Every structure is written in structure tokens, then in C-alpha cells.
Amino acid sequence: MTDNNTLRTDETPRDFIREKIAADLNAGLNDRIVTRFPPEPNGYLHIGHAKSICLNFSVAEELGGACNLRFDDTNPAREDESFIRAIQDDLRWLGFNWGARLFYASDNFDQLYEWARTLIGNNLAYVDDLSAEEIRERRGTLTEPGQPSPYRDRTPEESLDLFARMRGGEFDDGAKVLRAKIDMASGNINLRDPVLYRIMRASHPRTGDTWCIYPTYDFAHGQSDAIEHITHSLCTLEFEDHRPLYDWLIENLPVPARPRQYEFSRLNLGYTVLSKRRLIQLVEDDHVTGWDDPRMPTLAGLRRRGVPPEAIRDFINRLGITKSDGLVEMSYFENTIREHLNQTAPRRMGVIDPIKLVIENYPEGKTEELDATNNPTDAHAGMRKIPFSRELWVERDDYMDDAPKKFRRLTIGREVRLRFAYYVICTNVIKDPDGNVTELRCTYDPESRGGDTPDGRKVRGTIHWVSAANAKTAEIRLYDHLFTTEEPGKERDWIEDLNPNSLNVCETCYVEPTLVDAQGVVQFERLGYFFPDADSAPNALVFNRTVSLRDSKSKD
RNA sequence: UGGGGCGUAGCCAAGUGGUAAGGCAUCGGGUUUUGAUCCCGUGAUCGCAGGUUCGAACCCUGCCGCCCCAGCCA
């Protein structure tokens, strides 16, 4: 790809971010690129994060630079060690590596504290005794300027003393904060004396009880970037109007580097939610089984569902990087998943909603082995043997009474092909007292073994099947969108848009015997792609439907 | 009504003054032992209105619409 010492600035950049970085490089502003991915360990990574991850890591790799993983762990009240581990697992699974470049904002707590003192000493920050509510009341509104705190003109000496005592634990949580002294009348509310430090007695996953004051994200982020010598701090649009604050801090502090921040729009996907707050609520209120519930848009959920990491990266790359917000169709993502799985997933047969099919003229007790291709799109995938016998399981909706002309499957008198096997004609159906079909009776043409006949006659449909005597029972979990609307919360409370039918567990399904030790994603022919769930065991198979196959029959 | 952004076909998105890439979807058609795959074809004058220019999606002006910001969250 790229040799480490060559900056690839000659190629046409793929997006405006890469374009700007190339310009910075060509202008001699940097001689090496360092980016970073800075998650807060208060939840799992989701596909929206994948956009930032792919951008930050890929840009660095393309330019022979480096990308740091930094946990922005400035709020111990919400952060947890388990998330730190999970985030790293997900990142590795996605295919990115940070080597030894693992950092924490908390690594910088001592430095940050000293820099806070620097600001105070230079009369650029002060300790404020106002309560959170009083600060809010004086912040002003979008159209009215804020009012200065009565403590704003406290001397640096007094603030320094108070700040040290805040650290020393003399004051209650929330009793005092450290604020930057910028401009209470600024149109940019982030510049109206933002809080830099707050008192919070919470045990920190990394620093334990060493501190009872913690820097806010706004104070920690830019300085952490500078300490790590990040050259390009790539983040999402909502931080665009924090940039003036970050720049102000960088200009007023003796930092070792000047990172440049560029912003891009975050990913929005239809029929799901990608906000940390909402995902946390789904997990905590048990609307899903956990962060790795296959319906979740988390990387852990997608992994459990069977989505290959390559498909996620490909999807992200196809979207591009811009500053315009949009809503990407879920079907676009699904299509990308299919594209990858179509190339790689071995084909198998399985019946989700089984109905017995008996071939009346096939010898009882006979079993034969038939040849089946493992993947018609991959010549190297080879063949396998599948057992065939008199009694089979077929899909319930592959039979229909009084079927219309376009129906290409089983109905009395119409000949269809059993995939890789024989031509059969349905001669009779058996129904229960309620009129439900319980069994299909057919006859087969022995000449059609393998799926072709010597006379070359055509058949309009091909259906999948599993030999009843040899089938393995499996539970198959079918997933639908987590929400019933493309934009949850647009018309009402987003929780009300949850799809009550997002999970459909089919407990008695039959799959071909080769599936007892299935490891990766397989395609059940005509149905979709399926992945063994974490709950699956050889004697109790469980498959998750990763995604269905495209289906044009519903459109005629 | 303050500040910061965005607005090119249903969706994503190229385009940076010279006469609208590409992908996905849609709709036709072909191939096919998965109604899958694959192959071919199919759509926009660029939010609106003015202006500058021989010429504008790209420059200027004025509107309109959408998103973000009033956490001691990130």
C-alpha cells in the first residue's frame, strides 16, 4: 500500500478531510500525520463510530502516520472498565490496530491540573461558587448575553487557593467549579465562561480515588490532543463550535503542539438509533438482551449477528465523508452485507417453517447421497454430498392451493425441481380439520436425478428441502428492524417506535446434517445468510439470520 | 431574533466558471438447478429569486428550508 516514509499527497484525495490534510502536508505544516480515535468508555461502539474509526485510522495509514486510541475518561460517574475492554475488542475485530499507542485522558490529569493553575495565574480562569442552577440562570439564552458571575473578578491568588482546596476535598460535590474567563456575551455559548473543572467524588476506573475534581471534556480534549502531538483532530459536526474554545485554550497554554480540528457529519441510519444515550437506555431498560443483541447497531451486535467486519468497512467507505447530514437507508447497509456474504458464504439448505413432503413412488427406507455445489459464485468452493430420502421437509409457503400463474412453486399438478435432487409433482395434500396443510404427497421422476432430465424439459421453479431422516433440528432467530419507523422519535416518543416484532424465534427448523459444526456464516439457499449464535451448541443449534436474500417475488 | 453548519435525482455522493461522475434503490430486458448471483438498459439543470459573465451547480446579493449549541455529558 504505502511505504512508511512516503507521504502520498500526489493522489487525488477521496474527500474534503483528506484534501485538507494533503494541503497541510504540502504547505509544510506537518511532516507526519497523527490522528486519534477518542471514545468515552461509557458504552459500546456502534456503526456510527465505525465512520470515525475508519476515517482516523485509514487517513493515518494512507499517509504513513499513526492513529492513537485514546479513552476520553473524564467523567468517572458514567464510565466503566468493562467498556474499555469491550471497545478494544470491537476495534480489533473491525480490523484496526493501535499497537502501543493506547492513551487515556486521565494520563494527563496532573498536567491538566497544572495548566488549570496556569490559566488562573494569568487571570484567564476563576473559581466560581455559584451552583449549577445559578450558572445556568446567568448563562443567558441563544439571543441574550449572559451575566457575569459575582465571583468572576476574584483575584488569581484567591482562585488558586480555592482551586487547591477543591482538589484537597474541602468542598462538597458541586459546591464550586473552575471556569475559563472568556466572554459572557459571546454569540457562541461555549465561550461564556465554560466550566473547566468540577468536584465529583467518584472512583475513577484508572485513577481510583486520587482525584475528587475532574476536568470537563472541553478542557481535557484539546490539551490531550496536544500532549499526544495529534496533528489532525477529526471529529463530528457538533464540536465545530467548540473549536474556538479549544483554540483559545491552546493559545493560552504552553502546550507542545497545535492540533488542527476538522469536522465531518456523523452517520445516521434508518430504522435504528445511533445515539449513545438511547443505546444505553435500550440496554438498561431491557428492550434488548444486551449490548451484543443482534438487533443492536453496535459492533458487538453486528458481530453476533454475522456481519463481516469487511462489510462494515466497505459500507463506511462507500458513504464518503462530508459535512451534510443525511439519513442513510438501512437497505444500503444490508445490500453491502449481502455483497460480501454472497462471495464468501457456503450454500446450505435449511427449512424454517417445515411441512412434510412424501414422495409416494420413492422406495421406503432408501437414502442416496446427492452432489451439491457449495458456492456457485466461487469455483473453488467445491461440492458436498447431501442425503435424500422419501420423506422431506420443505418450506410451508412453497406450497399454495389454487396458485396463480406466476407462482413457481408447489401446487397440485405443477412440476418443480427439488434443488440438486429430482423433479416432483404434487398430487395431493393432507389437511387437518382446520384446513391447515399438514403433508404434501408427490411423485418424482427418477430420470431427473441431479435436477435435469434427459428430455431436457424445463421446470419453472426450484425449491429447497432437507431429508427428514437426516435433518438436524435448529432454532432460527429472524430479525427485523429494531424500530418500525425510519426516524424513531420523529412523530412521537422514540421508545414507542420500537418494533414489537423485531425478533421472531423459530424453534423447530430443520437443517442439513453438514451444519452440526458450522463456524461461519452460511447461506440457506433461497432464504438468506445465517450465523451460528453464541448460544449455539452441537446438540442445540441456533442460527441468527444475518440478512435475508434479495427477494423480487414479493413484487409481482 | 444570537452563534455555527448544511442544501446536486428516492438514498449516499463527485463536481472548485466551460456546458451534471459513480454507487445503491426503482423500472424494463437477458442468463440462471437459489424468484439469489450475474449482464444490459433506464432518471436530475444542481433549494428559490435576482445579478456578474460569451458562458455558473460552481462568483455576488436576497430569500427559503434543515441540523447543532443555553450539561458542573461527551
Side-chain angles (χ1 to χ4, degrees), chain A residues 451-476:
Chain A
D452 284 304
T453 54
D455 64 12
R457 72 177 185 277
K458 298 294 184 195
V459 99
R460 293 196 57 216
T462 300
I463 66 170
H464 59 279
W465 52 273
V466 175
S467 166
N470 309 277
K472 299 293 176 193
T473 305
E475 172 178 314
I476 294 182

Side-chain angles (χ1 to χ4, degrees), chain A residues 272-477:
Chain A
T272 189
V273 292
L274 294 181
S275 97
K276 205 74 118 19
R277 198 201 105 234
R278 288 177 170 183
L279 293 175
I280 289 171
Q281 192 179 330
L282 289 176
V283 172
E284 291 186 345
D285 294 349
D286 297 319
H287 290 112
V288 293
T289 59
W291 286 101
D292 68 343
D293 187 304
R295 294 167 293 181
M296 290 282 273
T298 51
L299 298 183
L302 296 171
R303 173 172 59 215
R304 183 166 179 175
R305 181 141 166 180
V307 177
E310 297 78 18
I312 295 175
R313 284 190 259 121
D314 187 28
F315 170 62
I316 295 298
N317 287 144
R318 291 184 194 201
L319 297 178
I321 301 291
T322 67
K323 295 188 75 156
S324 54
D325 346 86
L327 179 68
V328 178
E329 295 170 342
M330 180 59 98
S331 60
Y332 191 42
F333 181 42
E334 293 170 342
N335 185 71
T336 308
I337 297 169
R338 287 189 189 101
E339 227 171 274
H340 282 257
L341 261 18
N342 179 48
Q343 299 302 318
T344 58
R347 265 101 249 231
R348 293 292 182 267
M349 290 201 285
V351 177
I352 291 179
D353 186 10
I355 183 173
K356 183 71 71 70
L357 182 152
V358 178
I359 303 169
E360 295 181 323
N361 60 338
Y362 191 90
E364 288 195 44
K366 177 179 177 180
T367 297
E368 56 186 315
E369 300 273 300
L370 300 173
D371 294 311
T373 57
N374 284 328
N375 188 341
T377 66
D378 178 3
H380 303 295
M383 308 282 287
R384 70 183 185 288
K385 297 283 189 187
I386 46 176
F388 182 86
S389 60
R390 189 169 189 265
E391 297 195 0
L392 312 173
W393 293 112
V394 298
E395 211 67 60
R396 180 171 296 276
D397 65 9
D398 279 339
Y399 169 80
M400 191 182 224
D401 285 329
D402 307 316
K405 272 276 188 289
K406 285 188 168 181
F407 189 77
R408 304 200 208 161
R409 293 161 276 159
L410 291 164
T411 187
I412 290 180
R414 202 171 289 178
E415 186 168 52
V416 303
R417 172 166 42 229
L418 294 174
R419 171 131 246 228
F420 303 127
Y422 293 97
Y423 286 7
V424 293
I425 295 178
C426 185
T427 53
N428 194 17
V429 300
I430 297 173
K431 296 183 179 180
D432 66 16
D434 296 328
N436 301 309
V437 177
T438 56
E439 194 172 302
L440 304 173
R441 309 294 292 193
C442 300
T443 58
Y444 85 120
D445 175 2
E447 297 274 86
S448 62
R449 191 175 197 275
D452 284 304
T453 54
D455 64 12
R457 72 177 185 277
K458 298 294 184 195
V459 99
R460 293 196 57 216
T462 300
I463 66 170
H464 59 279
W465 52 273
V466 175
S467 166
N470 309 277
K472 299 293 176 193
T473 305
E475 172 178 314
I476 294 182
R477 299 175 184 167

Side-chain angles (χ1 to χ4, degrees), chain A residues 69 108 128 141 205 215 257 260 329 342 460 478 486 519-520 551:
Chain A
L69 169 59
N108 308 318
D128 194 343
T141 67
R260 268 184 300 286
E329 295 170 342
N342 179 48
R460 293 196 57 216
L478 304 177
E486 193 168 30
Q519 296 297 312
D551 180 10

Side-chain angles (χ1 to χ4, degrees), chain A residues 116-270:
Chain A
R117 286 169 45 81
T118 302
L119 252 19
I120 299 171
N122 292 330
N123 199 21
L124 293 172
Y126 61 97
V127 170
D128 194 343
D129 297 1
L130 256 26
S131 68
E133 191 181 342
E134 290 167 325
I135 288 178
R136 191 184 328 121
E137 284 165 358
R138 290 159 198 258
R139 186 149 25 227
T141 67
L142 295 179
T143 54
E144 298 161 328
Q147 299 303 316
S149 163
Y151 303 97
R152 195 174 202 262
D153 293 321
R154 191 119 78 175
T155 64
E157 291 68 30
E158 189 184 0
S159 280
L160 241 16
D161 173 61
L162 257 12
F163 189 49
R165 290 162 61 193
M166 279 168 64
R167 178 186 187 174
E170 278 190 42
F171 310 112
D172 290 341
D173 286 16
K176 294 184 184 342
V177 291
L178 180 71
R179 290 230 258 170
K181 190 186 289 190
I182 308 181
D183 178 7
M184 287 306 291
S186 175
N188 182 346
I189 293 175
N190 295 302
L191 264 22
R192 318 241 265 229
D193 290 10
V195 171
L196 267 23
Y197 263 92
R198 69 286 217 197
I199 303 172
M200 192 189 320
R201 283 176 178 76
S203 197
H204 188 282
R206 309 237 350 135
T207 61
D209 298 315
T210 305
W211 298 85
C212 66
I213 58 172
Y214 291 96
T216 56
Y217 170 86
D218 275 344
F219 186 57
H221 188 80
Q223 278 64 258
S224 295
D225 278 350
I227 289 168
E228 293 175 30
H229 286 84
I230 299 300
T231 57
H232 296 269
S233 192
L234 312 178
C235 66
T236 43
L237 253 27
E238 67 269 28
F239 294 106
E240 200 155 17
D241 45 19
H242 288 238
R243 195 174 62 218
L245 169 58
Y246 302 157
D247 289 343
W248 183 91
L249 289 166
I250 291 293
E251 277 160 25
N252 288 295
L253 256 11
V255 295
R258 303 264 161 149
R260 268 184 300 286
Q261 171 174 301
Y262 296 134
E263 308 86 5
F264 59 93
S265 59
R266 53 193 306 158
L267 170 65
N268 295 303
L269 243 197

Side-chain angles (χ1 to χ4, degrees), chain A residues 75-89:
Chain A
N75 187 353
R78 332 189 337 165
E79 296 152 8
D80 190 88
E81 174 67 33
S82 70
F83 295 128
I84 293 177
R85 282 193 298 272
I87 286 170
Q88 295 185 69
D89 289 344

